[in-house]
């Protein structure tokens, strides 16, 4: 049989026709996001590769998305899920073997803070972020990693106003989480 | 130590953002060719797995695997699909490429479907593999070659049920649709994730037969006659089941939304939900529905809580 793909959904105008070109276009960005969040090269590379394999496996779904932007957003979202999963696994491993090698994101150099306290702070924020759900979590991760509202909107193929509302909602949640943390500390 | 240290998560988030922006360019370059190699290796591995199983099946005539296959009677006259004539012809002719293409096309949706019926991801993966093994050997008997899709679903369903029976887990079907992010990944249409999560929860409030119909029709996108073929019932019967299941799903959605949002306003609802774990069950759906019907506050809540986009 020739590799004529009869029966597959027809890609929309301007969509990617194969998974390879989608990956080529998005790869650099994926690497940055994963590296910023995971803090080391090996994990980041793993996350990127796993996300790409996943998208390859459900390519018929991705191919039928109506625009290239939508397809890129799909890959970015898959990557973000993948990074959260890798991080969770890393935590679990660290709890099991009490290795201190796991870096909370990249090395913190808070103004005025140092060492363990800074690490703990940072870990708490990342933890709060990972406990958010769905699109909120994706938006806030991209924000924390250094992207501007407009860039986030582009990457996830959503409106800038949606990004703004997700971030302000998440801020409120984080503030509440911080309060609870403090109360627990006093109690 | 001149600069004040960020005091709470709120400031920390902005601080992270600023830092991230400054360091954006210091991220290392990742090798795109390595990624592409890994993707194509994974694709080859997937195809080989199918082809390999198929060969094993051919060479081991009379083995236990074979007996299993014989038990798995696929009704010859209950088969449907869309435009797969060529694919079927290739598979029947024994062309491994044909099987690989069918796998590319249907493995992901079939996996999601099997996940909805079985607890274990590994079991679902097995069921999908076996579905393709059966496809490779029995497809020749498919009368209408345009009906590949429904046929595959019917086989997958049979495989899942066999596994459930084997585990003697009568309740498994009811509990099964607790799906994880992982399975959503495979099937997800990245947007509308929230809606899907809500739907998944609501589906738990349906009885097993309705869950099955909703899964096939709404999530897998089969049409009424395909659903009929998968379940081995007439098209009209399938139609009736679908329409009833949708009504029930709508009620379940309403009940779920009211339960999640209306406790503060209605004391009776609050008592009803004492100690609720957040998951809908058939019994709870019925109780909630009865309550909402006669409680003006909750009826109001139902109207405002259910966005029109959700009306199926």
């Amino acid at each position: 049989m020739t590799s004529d793909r009869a029966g597959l959904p027809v890609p929309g105008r301007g969509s990617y026709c194969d998974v390879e070109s989608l990956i080529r276009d998005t790869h650099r960005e994926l690497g940055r996001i994963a590296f910023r969040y995971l803090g080391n090269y090996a994990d980041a590379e793993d996350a990127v590769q796993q996300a790409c394999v996943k998208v390859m496996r459900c390519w018929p779904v991705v191919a039928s998305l109506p625009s290239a932007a939508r397809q890129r957003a799909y890959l970015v979202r898959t990557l973000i899920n993948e990074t959260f999963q890798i991080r969770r696994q890393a935590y679990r491993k660290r709890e099991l073997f009490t290795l201190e090698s796991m870096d909370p994101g990249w090395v913190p150099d808070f103004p005025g803070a140092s060492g363990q306290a800074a690490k703990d702070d940072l870990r708490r924020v990342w933890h709060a972020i990972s406990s958010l759900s769905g699109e909120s979590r994706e938006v806030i991760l991209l924000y924390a990693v250094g992207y501007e509202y407009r860039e986030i909107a582009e990457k996830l193929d959503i409106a800038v106003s949606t990004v703004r509302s997700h971030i302000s909602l998440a801020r409120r949640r984080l503030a509440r989480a911080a309060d609870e943390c403090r109360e627990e500390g006093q109690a | 130590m001149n600069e004040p240290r960020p005091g709470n998560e709120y400031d920390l988030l902005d601080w992270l953002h600023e830092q991230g922006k400054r360091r954006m360019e210091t991220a290392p370059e990742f090798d795109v060719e390595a990624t592409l190699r890994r993707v194509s290796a994974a694709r080859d591995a997937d195809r080989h797995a199918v082809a390999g199983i198929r060969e094993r099946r051919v060479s081991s005539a009379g083995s236990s695997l074979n007996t299993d296959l014989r038990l798995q009677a696929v009704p010859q006259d209950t088969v449907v699909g869309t435009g797969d004539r060529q694919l079927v012809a290739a598979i029947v002719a024994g062309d491994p490429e044909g099987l690989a293409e069918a796998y590319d096309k249907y493995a992901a949706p079939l996996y999601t479907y099997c996940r909805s019926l079985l607890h274990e991801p590994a079991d679902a993966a097995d069921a999908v593999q076996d579905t393709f093994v059966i496809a490779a050997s029995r497809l020749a008997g498919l009368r209408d070659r345009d009906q590949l899709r429904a046929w595959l679903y019917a086989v997958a369903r049979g495989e899942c049920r066999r596994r459930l029976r084997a585990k003697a887990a009568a309740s498994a079907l009811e509990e099964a649709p607790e799906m994880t992010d992982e399975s959503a990944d495979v099937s997800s249409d990245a947007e509308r994730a929230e809606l899907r999560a809500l739907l998944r929860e609501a589906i738990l409030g349906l009885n097993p037969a309705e869950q099955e119909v909703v899964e096939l029709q709404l999530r897998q996108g089969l049409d009424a006659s395909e659903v009929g073929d998968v379940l081995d019932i007439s098209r009209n019967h399938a139609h009736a089941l679908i329409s009833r299941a949708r009504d029930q799903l709508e009620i379940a959605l309403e009940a779920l939304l009211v339960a999640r949002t209306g406790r503060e306003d209605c004391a009776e609802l609050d008592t009803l939900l004492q100690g609720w774990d957040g998951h809908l069950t058939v019994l709870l759906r019925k109780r909630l529905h009865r309550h909402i019907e006669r409680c003006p506050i909750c009826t109001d809540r139902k109207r405002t809580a259910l966005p029109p986009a959700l009306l199926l």
Side-chain angles (χ1 to χ4, degrees):
Chain A
M1 187 171 180
T2 57
S3 61
D4 141 42
R5 297 254 149 185
L8 283 184
V10 183
R13 198 182 294 254
S15 303
Y16 293 97
C17 297
D18 60 283
V19 72
E20 280 77 13
S21 41
L22 170 64
I23 292 173
R24 272 184 203 285
D25 269 17
T26 339
H27 199 260
R28 198 179 144 85
E29 212 65 77
L30 298 179
R32 283 184 187 176
I33 296 170
F35 182 74
R36 292 252 70 88
Y37 180 52
L38 293 170
N40 73 68
Y41 187 87
D43 279 351
E45 191 178 38
D46 245 14
V48 171
Q49 295 189 352
Q50 279 172 26
C52 290
V53 168
K54 275 205 170 148
V55 167
M56 176 276 285
R57 291 219 162 103
C58 59
W59 180 247
V61 176
V62 185
S64 64
L65 295 176
S67 69
R70 195 64 71 73
Q71 291 176 312
R72 282 195 297 268
Y74 190 102
L75 184 47
V76 168
R77 282 166 198 254
T78 308
L79 173 81
I80 290 175
N81 281 330
E82 209 55 49
T83 56
F84 275 111
Q85 212 161 329
I86 285 181
R87 223 180 137 88
R88 254 205 317 273
Q89 284 162 1
Y91 266 125
R92 223 172 291 143
K93 242 183 261 163
R94 200 167 47 105
E95 273 166 19
L96 275 180
F97 305 112
T98 51
L99 292 175
E100 266 307 312
S101 58
M102 172 63 187
D103 199 13
W106 18 279
V107 184
D109 47 355
F110 284 135
S114 62
Q116 198 54 41
K119 274 193 176 180
D120 283 346
D121 275 352
L122 200 56
R123 196 168 292 143
R124 229 175 48 235
V125 189
W126 282 127
H127 183 75
I129 291 177
S130 65
S131 68
L132 298 170
S133 62
E135 197 169 83
S136 227
R137 189 170 78 162
E138 294 162 359
V139 168
I140 209 79
L141 174 88
L142 290 179
Y143 182 74
V145 143
Y147 289 107
E148 299 297 349
Y149 288 9
R150 192 181 40 75
E151 294 170 313
I152 299 172
E154 226 168 74
K155 281 189 207 331
L156 298 178
D157 198 32
I158 52 179
V160 177
S161 55
T162 314
V163 173
R164 198 171 296 128
S165 71
H166 272 307
I167 288 181
S168 70
L169 196 76
R171 271 183 203 288
R172 250 174 285 150
R173 291 228 185 113
L174 293 189
R176 215 180 309 141
D179 286 345
E180 277 163 18
C181 221
R182 221 164 289 135
E183 275 161 26
E184 251 171 49
Q186 284 164 4
Chain B
M1 300 256 171
N2 299 335
E3 262 184 282
R5 177 180 158 202
N8 56 37
E9 271 81 352
Y10 183 100
D11 302 329
L12 274 171
L13 186 62
D14 281 332
W15 182 86
L16 271 173
H17 173 74
E18 290 302 321
Q19 288 284 312
K21 219 163 48 178
R22 247 177 283 153
R23 296 179 177 206
M24 193 65 88
E25 291 311 318
T26 64
E29 283 298 321
F30 290 86
D31 182 5
V32 67
E33 298 305 330
T35 302
L36 290 176
R37 273 199 301 278
R38 173 137 171 222
V39 166
S40 85
R43 183 186 285 139
D44 289 347
D46 287 352
R47 287 178 173 177
H48 268 120
V50 175
I53 290 169
R54 180 169 172 273
E55 254 155 46
R56 224 188 312 147
R57 145 93 188 100
V58 170
S59 64
S60 67
S63 75
S64 64
L65 180 64
N66 220 11
T67 326
D68 278 354
L69 294 179
R70 228 174 293 125
L71 287 174
Q72 181 54 53
V74 180
Q76 299 286 317
D77 54 343
T78 65
V79 198
V80 192
T82 40
D84 288 325
R85 202 164 280 272
Q86 259 184 311
L87 219 50
V88 175
I91 297 170
V92 171
D95 178 357
E97 266 297 301
L99 199 61
E101 275 205 33
Y103 187 84
D104 279 355
K105 190 170 170 184
Y106 290 118
L110 280 174
Y111 175 76
T112 324
Y113 175 59
C114 291
R115 256 325 274 281
S116 81
L117 297 175
L118 300 171
H119 272 295
E120 291 295 316
D123 287 351
D126 280 354
V128 174
Q129 296 274 291
D130 288 356
T131 301
F132 281 96
V133 174
I134 293 170
S137 60
R138 302 184 61 117
L139 206 50
L142 179 57
R143 210 177 291 157
D144 184 345
R145 296 196 165 175
D146 278 335
Q147 308 201 323
L148 177 63
R149 178 162 82 145
W151 188 81
L152 285 173
Y153 273 95
V155 174
R157 177 171 180 267
E159 279 301 297
C160 291
R161 304 199 96 177
R162 194 168 60 80
R163 283 179 165 72
L164 287 176
R165 270 200 305 276
K167 286 191 169 180
S171 63
L173 196 61
E174 196 165 351
E175 293 163 25
E178 292 173 27
M179 277 175 286
T180 58
D181 292 356
E182 203 184 316
S183 78
D185 261 350
V186 179
S187 71
S188 75
D189 153 11
E191 53 174 2
R192 308 181 72 189
E194 294 271 322
L195 176 57
R196 274 204 325 274
L198 194 66
L199 267 179
R200 265 206 305 272
E201 272 297 321
I203 287 174
L204 291 180
L206 303 180
N207 70 38
E210 288 161 353
Q211 285 187 13
E212 187 162 36
V213 173
V214 167
E215 175 66 34
L216 285 170
Q217 206 259 327
L218 219 55
R219 290 178 42 107
Q220 302 290 335
L222 271 59
D223 64 30
S225 58
E226 285 176 319
V227 170
D229 286 334
V230 172
L231 301 180
D232 196 15
I233 53 179
S234 75
R235 187 173 178 283
N236 281 339
H237 188 179
H239 233 302
L241 277 185
I242 289 170
S243 117
R244 178 170 164 75
R246 285 190 157 212
D247 288 349
Q248 291 301 326
L249 182 60
E250 205 170 305
I251 289 172
L253 267 174
E254 286 167 4
L256 184 63
L257 285 167
V258 171
R260 280 186 179 172
T261 58
R263 285 180 79 162
E264 281 168 16
D265 296 334
C266 174
E268 203 183 324
L269 180 68
D270 196 41
T271 349
L272 193 65
L273 290 172
Q274 210 87 59
W276 185 40
D277 64 353
H279 295 300
L280 205 58
T281 61
V282 178
L283 189 61
L284 186 63
R285 182 203 78 207
K286 286 180 180 162
R287 282 187 187 152
L288 285 169
H289 182 55
R290 266 202 302 276
H291 167 75
I292 294 167
E293 287 289 281
R294 56 187 166 72
C295 169
I297 305 170
C298 291
T299 305
D300 250 19
R301 165 74 55 182
K302 177 182 92 180
R303 271 192 218 112
T304 50
L306 194 63
L310 283 185
L311 294 171
L312 305 161

